[in-house]
Amino acid sequence: MSAKVLGVIPARYGSSRLPGKPLKDICGKPMIQHVYENASKSKILSKVVVATDDQRVYDAVIAFGGEAVMTSVNHPTGSDRVAEAASHYDCDYVINIQGDEPLVPPEIIDDISSALINSPDCVMATGSLEITGDEEYVLNNTVVKVVSDVNGNAIYFSRSPIPYPRHAEHARYFEHIGIYAYTHEFLNQYTKLAPTPLSEAESLEQLKVLEHGYKIKIVPAPAHYKAVSVDTEEDLQEVIRIYKELHGC
């Protein structure tokens, strides 16, 4: 029997830098619709659902024919929201697809999901993309970097440049791509894991998985991967520009 893989898109209406972010218009459609439609092109997902805490987002998703569930307004993280949504469904794996990446390609969803399914020693999988020729980007503390072992499992995530380039010719840097796949069983445990020193110091919740001794598979994205996270009005305008280049509108 094939695995049941649920795709969940957490979408909060409230955003300190861009209020109402999920409903921002991109070429005639709300941003959340672009994310939903791209995720729905995945070959591996059994179902896609939006998890929200706001009636306006819920109504917008239903209006374009999508599936949505209302979740608590009190969740501290997107992972908690995803876990609540997933509790309503029969599934083996759950994929957390960021609601603010309207250009997300379905192929990366499939690659990350497949990697977890084929890695029984891991409880999570996520993505990475090599950073090339941009030292300022590597130094930017809003860009999360990841290093992996020879088996493709995460060693550490950091806002700092890792590794330190003592021998620069050997230093390669990889940006973390924030799409997460979990076994459904582990997702329920994950939300109950106690905070850990490194996860709190870096403000990166995935570190608590490593600190508690679990393995995370890292999946390289193709070099042409491009998925801009929309956090500001400038990000939104950049996405609109890229979308027009790719599709016209």
Side-chain angles (χ1 to χ4, degrees):
M1 183 181 294
S2 59
K4 294 180 182 177
V5 186
L6 174 69
V8 182
I9 306 169
R12 291 178 59 250
Y13 187 88
S15 169
S16 58
R17 289 185 285 180
L18 193 63
K21 182 164 62 171
L23 302 185
K24 292 296 183 182
D25 183 86
I26 299 173
C27 294
K29 297 179 182 179
M31 181 164 64
I32 192 64
Q33 184 172 353
H34 287 281
V35 181
Y36 190 96
E37 289 177 351
N38 281 338
S40 297
K41 294 174 185 175
S42 161
K43 296 177 181 178
I44 204 166
L45 296 182
S46 308
K47 183 183 288 291
V48 179
V49 60
V50 173
T52 186
D53 60 355
D54 191 278
Q55 191 67 43
R56 288 163 290 189
V57 177
Y58 179 93
D59 291 344
V61 174
I62 299 303
F64 66 69
E67 185 165 344
V69 293
M70 291 293 293
T71 56
S72 170
V73 298
N74 298 318
H75 288 310
T77 70
S79 303
D80 294 284
R81 192 173 311 284
V82 168
E84 183 189 344
S87 69
H88 298 289
Y89 296 90
D90 175 23
C91 57
D92 304 301
Y93 300 90
V94 183
I95 315 303
N96 179 345
I97 302 161
Q98 301 302 318
D100 57 5
E101 292 194 4
L103 301 175
V104 62
E107 294 80 12
I108 192 70
I109 297 171
D110 289 341
D111 289 348
I112 291 172
S113 303
S114 296
L116 180 59
I117 292 170
N118 294 317
S119 302
D121 60 330
C122 295
V123 294
M124 278 178 64
T126 189
S128 72
L129 179 67
E130 186 166 10
I131 303 170
T132 56
D134 192 338
E135 185 176 346
E136 284 192 16
Y137 196 74
V138 172
L139 295 173
N140 187 335
N141 64 17
T142 67
V143 177
V144 177
K145 277 70 69 175
V146 60
V147 287
S148 309
D149 65 20
V150 294
N151 296 312
N153 298 324
I155 297 173
Y156 194 65
F157 298 84
S158 183
R159 299 182 183 278
S160 296
I162 48 174
Y164 178 80
R166 179 70 180 268
H167 298 285
E169 68 273 19
H170 297 297
R172 298 174 66 193
Y173 299 96
F174 292 86
E175 178 179 2
H176 173 225
I177 296 172
I179 299 172
Y180 297 97
Y182 316 83
T183 67
H184 196 179
E185 180 182 8
F186 178 71
L187 177 58
N188 292 328
Q189 298 174 31
Y190 177 51
T191 58
K192 299 178 179 67
L193 289 178
T196 49
L198 295 174
S199 68
E200 296 210 311
E202 294 255 19
S203 190
L204 296 174
E205 63 169 314
Q206 64 269 37
L207 284 173
K208 72 179 181 179
V209 179
L210 300 181
E211 288 182 87
H212 280 283
Y214 297 99
K215 290 184 179 181
I216 302 175
K217 181 65 69 177
I218 301 298
V219 182
H224 63 271
Y225 177 85
K226 181 181 288 186
V228 180
S229 293
V230 177
D231 295 311
T232 65
E233 182 63 32
E234 290 74 21
D235 294 336
L236 178 63
Q237 294 308 314
E238 175 65 6
V239 165
I240 292 171
R241 183 192 67 77
I242 294 170
Y243 191 88
K244 285 179 177 179
E245 276 187 6
L246 294 174
H247 308 287
C249 61

